[in-house]
Amino acid sequence: MEERPFTDHSYEQFLNEEKIMGCRCRKCQALYLPPRPICINCHGADMEWVRMKGAGTLHAFTCISVGPAFMAREGFDRSRPYCSGVVLLEEGVRIDARIEGFDNTHPETIKVGTPVTAEFLHRGEGEDMRTFPAFRPVPAPPGR
Ligand SMILES: [Zn+2]
């Protein structure tokens, strides 16, 4: 499918294209996210790219009111905490991500196991563009 090397750089390039790409070992089927060139399970080096659907459940999270400077520049502070977490994807792998769409000032309302869907936060432009995966709750079906 894709001929890019199985590196963090390729992973970030795919994120810029709004794709979450992991890789699967063709020999033992182990799945890796982010991708790695050598399988830690069977030591094989025959990998293929696998695109994640971007659906999963919230696995763990933390709301952060005193974050790094780049988050402060986005307007987050003690009165407006942001949420960082881990999502368990449908494919069975975990991804570190920003968690959006919850009331971060009331972390007790955020439930592990909530179904979430991926979106992409682009920062910077051109060569400097970096993209961060973020997940927000799947909207409840109408009428609920
Ligand atoms: Zn393997």
Side-chain angles (χ1 to χ4, degrees):
M1 164 187 178
E2 296 279 352
E3 295 306 315
R4 297 183 202 181
F6 298 97
T7 60
D8 286 345
H9 180 68
S10 300
Y11 178 69
E12 286 167 14
Q13 281 184 329
F14 279 125
L15 282 177
N16 285 343
E17 296 160 20
E18 306 206 336
K19 295 176 193 162
I20 300 173
M21 298 294 287
C23 72
R24 182 191 288 127
C25 173
R26 285 198 173 105
K27 197 167 153 200
C28 76
Q29 306 298 308
L31 192 60
Y32 296 99
L33 185 78
R36 50 167 55 241
I38 306 289
C39 179
I40 52 175
N41 185 44
C42 74
H43 307 291
D46 189 11
M47 293 288 187
E48 61 182 347
W49 286 107
V50 180
R51 184 173 179 179
M52 304 293 140
K53 281 183 287 184
T57 52
L58 187 60
H59 184 72
F61 67 92
T62 178
C63 291
I64 300 162
S65 44
V66 183
F70 70 91
M71 294 303 293
R73 279 196 295 276
E74 285 191 35
F76 293 97
D77 59 21
R78 277 176 208 281
S79 61
R80 190 169 170 247
Y82 67 95
C83 188
S84 176
V86 179
V87 169
L88 179 61
L89 295 175
E90 268 181 18
E91 289 83 358
V93 289
R94 292 169 195 178
I95 181 170
D96 295 326
R98 280 269 294 278
I99 308 300
E100 303 271 323
F102 288 96
D103 179 0
N104 299 335
T105 57
H106 294 95
E108 70 279 6
T109 63
I110 307 176
K111 302 288 185 229
V112 164
T114 302
V116 289
T117 185
E119 61 181 32
F120 299 88
L121 305 175
H122 299 292
R123 298 288 178 262
E125 310 237 327
E127 288 288 295
D128 295 325
M129 185 168 86
R130 287 208 58 196
T131 305
F132 301 91
F135 284 79
R136 64 172 59 242
V138 176
R144 275 179 55 189

mmCIF file of all heavy atoms in Angstrom, residues 25 28 39 41-42, ligand 1:
data_model
loop_
_atom_site.group_PDB
_atom_site.id
_atom_site.type_symbol
_atom_site.label_atom_id
_atom_site.label_comp_id
_atom_site.label_asym_id
_atom_site.label_seq_id
_atom_site.Cartn_x
_atom_site.Cartn_y
_atom_site.Cartn_z
ATOM 1 N N CYS A 25 3.062 -6.875 11.548
ATOM 2 C CA CYS A 25 4.066 -7.861 11.154
ATOM 3 C C CYS A 25 3.388 -8.906 10.270
ATOM 4 O O CYS A 25 2.400 -9.520 10.676
ATOM 5 C CB CYS A 25 4.653 -8.499 12.405
ATOM 6 S SG CYS A 25 5.766 -9.865 12.056
ATOM 7 N N CYS A 28 3.807 -12.628 12.131
ATOM 8 C CA CYS A 28 3.061 -13.048 13.333
ATOM 9 C C CYS A 28 1.823 -12.200 13.590
ATOM 10 O O CYS A 28 1.131 -12.424 14.576
ATOM 11 C CB CYS A 28 3.974 -13.049 14.555
ATOM 12 S SG CYS A 28 4.332 -11.406 15.189
ATOM 13 N N CYS A 39 9.810 -6.349 14.363
ATOM 14 C CA CYS A 39 8.794 -6.880 15.276
ATOM 15 C C CYS A 39 9.445 -7.318 16.588
ATOM 16 O O CYS A 39 10.393 -8.098 16.575
ATOM 17 C CB CYS A 39 8.109 -8.073 14.606
ATOM 18 S SG CYS A 39 6.857 -8.844 15.644
ATOM 19 N N ASN A 41 8.036 -9.102 18.753
ATOM 20 C CA ASN A 41 7.490 -10.415 19.084
ATOM 21 C C ASN A 41 8.283 -11.535 18.419
ATOM 22 O O ASN A 41 8.694 -12.492 19.059
ATOM 23 C CB ASN A 41 6.016 -10.456 18.669
ATOM 24 C CG ASN A 41 5.341 -11.743 19.077
ATOM 25 O OD1 ASN A 41 5.523 -12.228 20.189
ATOM 26 N ND2 ASN A 41 4.567 -12.304 18.162
ATOM 27 N N CYS A 42 8.504 -11.407 17.102
ATOM 28 C CA CYS A 42 9.161 -12.501 16.369
ATOM 29 C C CYS A 42 10.463 -12.051 15.708
ATOM 30 O O CYS A 42 11.108 -12.845 15.031
ATOM 31 C CB CYS A 42 8.210 -13.078 15.322
ATOM 32 S SG CYS A 42 7.984 -12.021 13.881
HETATM 33 ZN ZN ZN B 1 6.216 -10.545 14.233
#
